[in-house]
Amino acid sequence: MTRAPGVPPLDAPERLRVPLARCIRGEIPPNVCAMGLLTGEPDPRTIEGALERTMELLDREGDDIGVERLRNVAKLIERHPEAHRLVREILAVVPHDDAHMREPDAVAFWSAAFDRAFAINPEASVALYSLGDRELLDVATAEIVRLLRETELLGAEKHVLDLGCGFGRLSEALAGEAGHIVGVDISERMVVAARARCADLANVHVILGSGRDLQPLPDESIDTAVAVDAFPYIVAGGPPLVKRMMAELGRVLKRSGSLAIFNWSYEGDAAAREAGIRAAADGAGLVLRAPVHARFLSWDAELFLLGRNDAADL
């Protein structure tokens, strides 16, 4: 028998039930489920027990699909014995709790935080769902490039902004897909690493940003701006920072340009996040074209595509 849609009551601590249930239903891939389990539970033995009991329950229910999905989660955790420590160490310096997501000087706080996270593990510092594994992160990066290509945001003539470029993994991957790429980040350590990573790529330029504007980028110089997991930290800085950065993106985008935001915020529900991005876009002369309901194999990002609201006059 196969199954999946419904999820029976789970014999697991409450903090583990959501990632388990979402994985069973196929809403998140195994590595994202593993990340949720590792962040939610300090004791690896509790995670192992919850997975075993849940798989036994699903087996009794005849849910072969659910069992296979959780078996893949268990295999990932087993193959990455350092992942539990890595994930929790990264969260200790890049916290996502409400108290730290409202820092008075958000830019300085997050700049220092990502410097420390990078020193722990580069891959995990930019994507906890990578579990510190470069190959898992490369899969996610390739998916981003594929989606940008499919939405016709890349091309040999395009000037691309990689906002929050981290250590350059996306800028490097886009080098053969666009005419020129500018990577911007507020973490000095990551910028140094990105410059080294892209040193042999003549069309990639990486700069240390202020986190408050996009100087020295000229007006209307960018065809496609891409922000991968950057806006949750901008949003965390509060409305004034959001307003400034959205206005700056509106300034540097060409009238025919596009802004692709992968994850607007980690807070609230989908409706609240969409309302937030619509309000911020309107105040910056941008318009939300559509949330893109993309299915990823390696993560669970929400993709929002925006453009300038005067583009229709072209």
Side-chain angles (χ1 to χ4, degrees):
M1 183 188 296
T2 59
R3 278 186 51 175
V7 178
L10 302 180
D11 181 13
E14 185 173 354
R15 58 189 172 274
L16 303 184
R17 291 175 195 166
V18 170
L20 287 171
R22 292 191 69 202
C23 187
I24 292 167
R25 291 193 295 262
E27 296 172 3
I28 56 175
N31 59 309
V32 175
C33 178
M35 176 192 72
L37 299 176
L38 297 174
T39 58
E41 174 53 54
D43 186 351
R45 293 169 298 182
T46 300
I47 296 172
E48 182 180 351
L51 280 167
E52 288 178 356
R53 292 192 303 274
T54 304
M55 284 190 284
E56 289 171 1
L57 171 62
L58 295 177
D59 189 51
R60 290 196 299 270
E61 294 276 328
D63 187 349
D64 301 332
I65 295 174
V67 170
E68 183 60 24
R69 286 170 176 163
L70 292 193
R71 185 175 291 124
N72 289 333
V73 175
K75 288 178 181 177
L76 266 178
I77 293 175
E78 184 179 354
R79 285 205 307 269
H80 298 84
E82 293 297 304
H84 190 270
R85 176 189 60 79
L86 272 181
V87 165
R88 299 187 74 80
E89 282 187 11
I90 296 290
L91 281 179
V93 298
V94 185
H96 288 181
D97 58 275
D98 289 343
H100 287 90
M101 291 296 274
R102 297 296 175 196
E103 288 293 325
D105 187 349
V107 174
F109 178 82
W110 294 119
S111 173
F114 280 104
D115 276 351
R116 293 193 295 269
F118 179 79
I120 295 169
N121 180 274
E123 286 72 27
S125 71
V126 298
L128 281 177
Y129 58 82
S130 73
L131 308 179
D133 184 332
R134 179 165 184 168
E135 289 186 8
L136 285 177
L137 186 60
D138 285 346
V139 170
T141 304
E143 285 197 280
I144 296 168
V145 175
R146 172 187 57 78
L147 199 54
L148 293 173
R149 190 188 301 122
E150 289 175 356
T151 48
E152 300 182 344
L153 298 183
L154 301 177
E157 77 291 352
K158 301 284 189 182
H159 283 232
V160 176
L161 167 64
D162 181 6
L163 181 64
C165 67
F167 59 86
R169 50 119 176 184
L170 182 59
S171 293
E172 179 187 43
L174 291 174
E177 302 276 348
H180 185 72
I181 299 99
V182 178
V184 180
D185 206 278
I186 62 171
S187 163
E188 194 166 351
R189 281 187 172 180
M190 289 190 176
V191 165
V192 169
R195 286 172 175 165
R197 181 173 187 145
C198 301
D200 295 330
L201 302 172
N203 64 336
V204 178
H205 180 57
V206 181
I207 61 176
L208 180 65
S210 70
R212 297 176 178 84
D213 58 46
L214 291 173
Q215 301 297 332
L217 297 184
D219 295 356
E220 299 189 14
S221 59
I222 297 297
D223 294 288
T224 301
V226 184
V228 177
D229 278 327
F231 262 94
Y233 304 97
I234 296 171
V235 171
L241 183 59
V242 173
K243 182 178 180 179
R244 284 198 300 272
M245 290 305 297
M246 288 293 280
E248 279 289 271
L249 285 161
R251 176 182 69 79
V252 302
L253 277 181
K254 295 179 181 178
R255 289 182 66 188
S256 59
S258 300
L259 167 60
I261 296 178
F262 292 82
N263 288 329
W264 170 254
S265 173
Y266 299 141
E267 299 177 348
D269 58 20
R273 291 190 292 272
E274 184 172 335
I277 199 170
R278 284 185 185 279
D282 185 59
L286 299 170
V287 62
L288 179 64
R289 292 174 180 161
V292 179
H293 302 289
R295 175 67 70 175
F296 295 98
L297 298 176
S298 58
W299 62 326
D300 59 339
E302 292 177 313
L303 171 58
F304 299 93
L305 291 180
L306 302 94
R308 282 179 46 168
N309 62 10
D310 57 359
D313 299 332
L314 290 174

